[in-house]
């Protein structure tokens, strides 16, 4: 996989998600690229404990602290699962140019899954959204984590129509 492609950065996020899963957090990883720099984060809600320690928020915080700016214009955030409402708000607030995610989240996703923060007329910044990059791999990672938590395996279920009707973004994992 060539570097500097959506698939390359998503594969890096998947590796980070694997680390968070091993530590008992829901396996979500994030990679933020901006101005030739790359920032890495993974879910750490359980580890910290901090309800806001989602991979997306931690990647944004790392970039802002390192660069000394809150406005991360031109940045792209790669995340293994569709961002929640809190993370979507942080992405908008940071003025990121683009968000790329793997699998959808019909129950809590805020990029078209449960709601669509990025398409809302109420937000003051537009973020381009690319969905479904390595979606099967990211969905399998989450399913395996939750199956292990439940102590049983569960077959994959994909439904392209449930949350993403009206021509929106990629496969949904139930």
């Amino acid at each position: 996989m060539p570097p500097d492609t959506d698939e390359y950065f998503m594969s890096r996020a998947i590796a980070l998600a694997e680390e968070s899963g091993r530590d008992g957090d829901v396996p979500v990883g994030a990679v933020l690229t901006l101005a030739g720099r790359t920032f890495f984060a993974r879910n750490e809600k359980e580890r910290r404990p901090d309800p806001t320690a989602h991979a997306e928020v931690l990647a944004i915080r790392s970039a802002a602290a390192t660069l000394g700016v809150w406005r991360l214009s031109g940045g792209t955030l790669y995340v293994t699962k569709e961002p929640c409402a809190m993370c979507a708000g942080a992405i908008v607030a940071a003025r990121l140019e683009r968000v790329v995610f793997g699998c959808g989240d019909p129950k809590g996703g805020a990029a078209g899954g449960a709601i669509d923060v990025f398409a809302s007329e109420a937000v003051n910044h537009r973020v381009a959204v690319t969905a479904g990059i390595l979606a099967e791999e990211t969905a399998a990672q989450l399913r395996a984590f939750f199956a292990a938590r439940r102590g049983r395996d569960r077959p994959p279920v994909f439904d392209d129509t449930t949350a993403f009707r009206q021509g929106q973004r990629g496969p949904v994992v139930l």
Side-chain angles (χ1 to χ4, degrees), residues 105-117:
D105 181 358
K107 293 181 181 178
I115 61 171
D116 195 340
V117 169

Side-chain angles (χ1 to χ4, degrees), residues 1-145:
M1 184 172 320
D4 297 339
T5 64
D6 289 348
E7 291 78 10
Y8 171 78
F9 288 115
M10 188 61 69
S11 69
R12 302 285 306 269
I14 289 170
L16 292 161
E18 188 66 33
E19 292 175 18
S20 74
R22 278 195 303 266
D23 288 345
D25 273 289
V26 174
V28 178
V31 175
L32 193 155
T33 61
L34 175 64
R37 309 273 308 262
T38 307
F39 304 89
F40 304 94
R42 60 194 181 103
N43 263 5
E44 295 187 9
K45 284 173 50 173
E46 300 296 332
R47 184 173 173 234
R48 289 190 181 232
D50 176 355
T52 68
H54 291 202
E56 302 95 320
V57 170
L58 296 177
I60 290 168
R61 287 178 183 165
S62 175
T66 300
L67 300 172
V69 296
W70 65 267
R71 192 180 302 263
L72 303 175
S73 302
T76 298
L77 180 68
Y78 299 87
V79 61
T80 55
K81 183 183 77 60
E82 180 181 355
C84 70
M86 175 185 70
C87 293
I91 290 164
V92 169
R95 307 299 194 267
L96 291 174
E97 180 177 325
R98 185 169 172 241
V99 63
V100 178
F101 68 86
C103 63
D105 181 358
K107 293 181 181 178
I115 61 171
D116 195 340
V117 169
F118 302 113
S120 173
E121 294 296 323
V123 298
N124 62 346
H125 174 72
R126 296 287 163 239
V127 177
V129 177
T130 302
I133 302 298
L134 301 181
E136 290 188 31
E137 292 90 333
T138 58
Q141 189 175 48
L142 287 164
R143 277 194 308 274
F145 175 81

